[in-house]
């Protein structure tokens, strides 16, 4: 079998899965993760033609690259103990239209095409982000049931402006806010393609009634952003449950903070 030894990436999967399980965000086999590799590894020589599987979408920016992806039905609480049996290594063919299994777990997450479509967009628009994390954070999913955030009109902006005004540093971490995709079939390519569009500009995309998609240079970096947004949503709910109106920090104050830290140009308020 081909060598399968990406220790840095495996450690990233392990630590992130551990924390996802601990936070209760990836219940049962919920959620999935992937890391894109640059693939200069000679052990990843071209796949035999017979092993090629056609992708439902072309991924030209991934041609010749490889992706580590969690397997179908794998549990965060188990990946967090021993990642190796749960992670598969896949290579994308030189024509960017096929992929093949190389090593490790060979029963990939149903979101493989979605992850590949997202990595294709990242490689093109934000190549520094190599990690993709999908999970089910409680307070953020609960927001999708609030009429205030579910009016069908620019939910991304309404949620970004309200939730990221709950805590002084949240908008600093996510000046461009978050993206939003209306409810789609879980695991569908449609969901992946719509998310990929949002990820050209955002690091986080909220999937209505489902969960969150996050990107980062590492899985730990993607997890950081999930933590920041989920904490802001928790503050929102806590104020609301106390019977108060979570009005949030005023827009002028948000702008002042972003300006002080040189991040105002990543903020698009209107
Ligand atoms: O079961 O979370 O969205 C994995 C998922 C699919
Ligand atoms: Zn999910």
């Amino acid at each position: 079998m081909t060598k399968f030894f990406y220790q840095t990436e495996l450690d990233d999967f392990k630590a992130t899965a551990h924390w996802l399980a601990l936070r209760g965000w990836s219940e049962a086999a919920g959620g999935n993760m992937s890391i894109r590799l640059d693939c200069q590894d000679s052990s990843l020589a071209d796949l035999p033609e017979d092993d090629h599987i056609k992708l439902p979408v072309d991924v030209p920016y991934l041609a010749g690259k490889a992706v580590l992806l969690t397997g179908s039905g794998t549990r965060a609480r188990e990946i967090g103990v021993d990642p190796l049996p749960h992670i598969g290594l896949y290579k994308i063919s030189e024509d960017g239209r096929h992929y093949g299994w190389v090593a490790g777990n060979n029963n990939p997450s149903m979101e493989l095409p979605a992850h590949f479509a997202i990595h294709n967009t990242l490689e093109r628009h934000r190549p520094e982000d190599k990690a993709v994390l999908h999970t089910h954070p409680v307070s953020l999913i609960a927001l999708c049931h609030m009429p205030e955030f579910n009016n069908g009109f620019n939910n991304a902006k309404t949620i970004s402006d309200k939730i990221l005004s709950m805590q002084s540093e949240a908008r600093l971490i996510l000046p461009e806010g978050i993206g939003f995709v209306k409810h789609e079939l879980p695991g569908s390519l449609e969901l992946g393609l719509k998310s990929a569009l949002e990820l050209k500009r955002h690091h986080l995309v909220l999937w209505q009634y489902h969960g969150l998609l996050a990107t980062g240079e590492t899985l730990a970096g993607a997890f950081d952003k999930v933590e920041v947004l989920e904490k802001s949503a928790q503050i929102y709910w806590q104020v609301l449950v106390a019977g108060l109106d979570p009005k949030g920090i005023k827009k002028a104050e948000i702008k002042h903070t972003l300006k002080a830290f040189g991040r105002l140009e990543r903020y698009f308020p209107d």
Side-chain angles (χ1 to χ4, degrees):
M1 189 171 93
T2 312
K3 176 173 70 119
F4 182 24
F5 193 74
Y6 293 94
Q7 197 56 51
T8 308
E9 287 79 7
L10 282 180
D11 289 346
D12 198 19
F13 275 103
K14 182 177 175 181
T16 305
H18 172 81
W19 281 102
L20 286 170
L22 218 59
R23 292 279 160 87
W25 296 341
S26 287
E27 76 289 347
N32 36 62
M33 299 182 267
S34 63
I35 301 179
R36 188 170 77 257
L37 302 169
D38 274 335
C39 212
Q40 272 132 17
D41 189 335
S42 58
S43 68
L44 291 180
D46 271 357
L47 295 165
E49 286 279 331
D50 290 353
D51 294 343
H52 280 191
I53 301 166
K54 179 92 175 77
L55 280 164
V57 62
D58 289 357
V59 290
Y61 291 89
L62 298 186
K65 293 193 178 292
V67 172
L68 292 167
L69 175 69
T70 47
S72 173
T74 58
R75 301 179 176 94
R77 62 181 188 271
E78 291 172 359
I79 302 171
V81 175
D82 179 15
L84 199 53
H86 307 293
I87 315 290
L89 175 60
Y90 300 89
K91 172 128 193 245
I92 293 90
S93 60
E94 294 296 337
D95 68 3
R97 294 176 164 187
H98 301 81
Y99 76 99
W101 169 78
V102 177
N105 181 300
N106 72 350
N107 182 24
S109 158
M110 64 174 166
E111 272 161 5
L112 179 144
H115 274 258
F116 282 16
I118 287 164
H119 279 294
N120 190 58
T121 294
L122 291 176
E123 184 62 36
R124 180 173 181 193
H125 295 280
R126 296 194 295 104
E128 67 282 5
D129 274 16
K130 307 260 182 231
V132 175
L133 162 62
H134 162 56
T135 187
H136 302 164
V138 186
S139 305
L140 283 164
I141 298 168
L143 286 182
C144 300
H145 297 267
M146 294 281 287
E148 181 182 356
F149 301 122
N150 200 7
N151 57 16
F153 176 71
N154 211 345
N155 289 348
K157 178 171 163 43
T158 315
I159 294 174
S160 300
D161 287 350
K162 190 66 166 188
I163 300 306
L164 294 172
S165 74
M166 290 295 120
Q167 198 269 342
S168 176
E169 292 172 15
R171 194 91 206 199
L172 265 183
I173 311 285
L174 298 161
E176 58 284 308
I178 65 160
F180 182 87
V181 174
K182 275 185 84 78
H183 190 252
E184 290 282 350
L185 195 66
S188 63
L189 180 60
E190 200 60 22
L191 182 56
L193 293 176
K194 286 184 176 172
S195 305
L197 279 178
E198 295 293 319
L199 288 166
K200 283 184 190 172
R201 211 169 83 170
H202 300 105
H203 292 85
L204 294 177
V205 181
L206 183 60
W207 292 349
Q208 191 180 35
Y209 306 129
H210 184 156
L212 197 60
L213 199 282
T215 73
E217 294 182 16
T218 58
L219 290 168
F223 185 90
D224 285 343
K225 297 184 188 84
V226 181
E227 272 188 320
V228 168
L229 187 66
E230 172 67 8
K231 172 166 259 187
S232 297
Q234 283 170 357
I235 297 166
Y236 174 85
W237 282 114
Q238 207 155 320
V239 175
L240 208 64
V241 167
L244 303 168
D245 179 9
K247 282 198 192 313
I249 303 163
K250 289 201 166 64
K251 196 187 263 186
E253 193 58 36
I254 298 261
K255 280 187 175 170
H256 175 66
T257 306
L258 288 170
K259 193 160 180 224
F261 285 84
R263 307 217 175 134
L264 196 54
E265 74 282 0
R266 283 171 55 195
Y267 177 61
F268 313 97
D270 299 302

